[in-house]
Amino acid sequence: MRAAVIEKPYVVEFKDVAPPVITRNDEVLIKVAVTGICGSEIHAYHGTHPFRIPPVISGHEMTGVVVETGKEVQSVAIGDRVTVEPQYGCGLCRYCKVGDYHLCPRKKVLGTQEWTGSFGEYIVVPEHTVIRLPEGVSFEQGALIEPLAVGVHAVRQAKVGLGDKVAVLGAGPIGLALMLAAKASGATRTFITDVSDYNLEIAAKLGSTYTINPLKENPVEFIRNSTNGDGVDVAFLAIGLEPVLNDALKVVKKGGKVSEVALFGSHPKVEISFVQNREISVIGSNMYTRSDFEIAAEAIAAGIFDTGLLISKILPIHQAREAMELVDKKTENVIKVLLTYA
Ligand SMILES: [Zn+2]
Ligand SMILES: [Zn+2]
């Protein structure tokens, strides 16, 4: 099969490799149609990701068609248009037993050395990870379900509700997903920050009430001034930088919530006295579970999540290296770059 392999840091090779095969009765073979490039793949490309370690066939934001099923597979059939929740737990630990398999210490993640990802033309996945694409959702749109599910999970966890004021710090794909999910959950005012005017422009088009470029104005002052000095109900951290984390603690109202969704490469210094003094709750959010995935898929089908503005560029799989460079170096303005096997 055709595959874009991250051979070692900064080296992506497009080549022919042996496809994965079904070895268990509950497995499904999928021919990948479209795969997105995620920030975590860029970390893998840099050789800095904790478990996407080269040489690896990465890729976990995908859609495709079922081409073969194991003997016991019942819920999907050959020809189904699908996406995959790219994780599953051991099924035995205390987390798995209560449905929190995304916290399983032995969970497997698609696009690692132990589970070949969608930068290869075929993937083999357990039946229970497969989700049929709702009618009317294209392969390209469906590739956005995974990053949108990250936003859905964090917003549901933070219990954003009707009338809430919400700040999202960082307007990359996950920040935009958080903003969309917060609005869909009833947030009446959203503030989103980013140093890229292009990303802020997209955020405004997607309906954010306010956009703030921290290079031009102080987000803490802006958000406080716009909320009678109180701050927002919930702040989401969608970029892993120390000053942004400390801003998050300063833009929530007393008794408010800070949801940490970002990956930090370092150990930030936190102004923890804000948490104590202002009775702030800090919530961690890690990926999603199946219900978040299903909600994201339905919200795309219903037009609540407009993927058109999120998809910046679609390139053929043999240009994976150029695509990775583009996402990494931002040589042009992009939100989400997709790769296609067509
Ligand atoms: Zn991802
Ligand atoms: Zn487990």
Side-chain angles (χ1 to χ4, degrees), residues 88-97 100-101 103-107:
Y88 63 93
C90 70
L92 300 169
C93 71
R94 60 185 303 172
Y95 303 104
C96 284
K97 280 183 177 152
D100 287 335
Y101 57 88
L103 302 177
C104 171
R106 289 187 293 277
K107 87 168 174 183

Side-chain angles (χ1 to χ4, degrees), residues 48 132 227:
T48 56
R132 259 199 239 102
T227 52

Side-chain angles (χ1 to χ4, degrees), residues 224 227 229-234 248-257 274-281:
R224 289 264 191 115
T227 52
D230 292 332
V232 294
D233 300 280
V234 187
L249 297 175
K250 291 171 192 160
V251 301
V252 287
K253 68 176 191 189
K254 290 184 180 178
K257 298 171 211 167
F274 273 84
V275 173
Q276 180 275 327
N277 184 271
R278 301 172 64 83
E279 293 199 344
I280 294 166
S281 300

Side-chain angles (χ1 to χ4, degrees), residues 134-158:
E135 212 164 303
V137 173
S138 70
F139 286 132
E140 287 78 12
Q141 289 177 304
L144 271 294
I145 293 172
E146 195 269 359
L148 286 164
V150 175
V152 170
H153 183 70
V155 163
R156 290 173 80 202
Q157 240 188 345

Side-chain angles (χ1 to χ4, degrees), residues 2 5 31 44 49 55 58 66 70 112 119-120 126 150 159 175 182 187 191 208 228 243 254-256 276 288 336:
R2 296 175 285 170
V5 186
K31 186 177 192 308
H49 197 279
S58 200
V66 174
T112 54
F119 284 8
V150 175
K159 297 189 171 64
F191 302 80
S208 185
N228 297 324
K254 290 184 180 178
Q276 180 275 327
Y288 34 67
K336 198 46 119 173

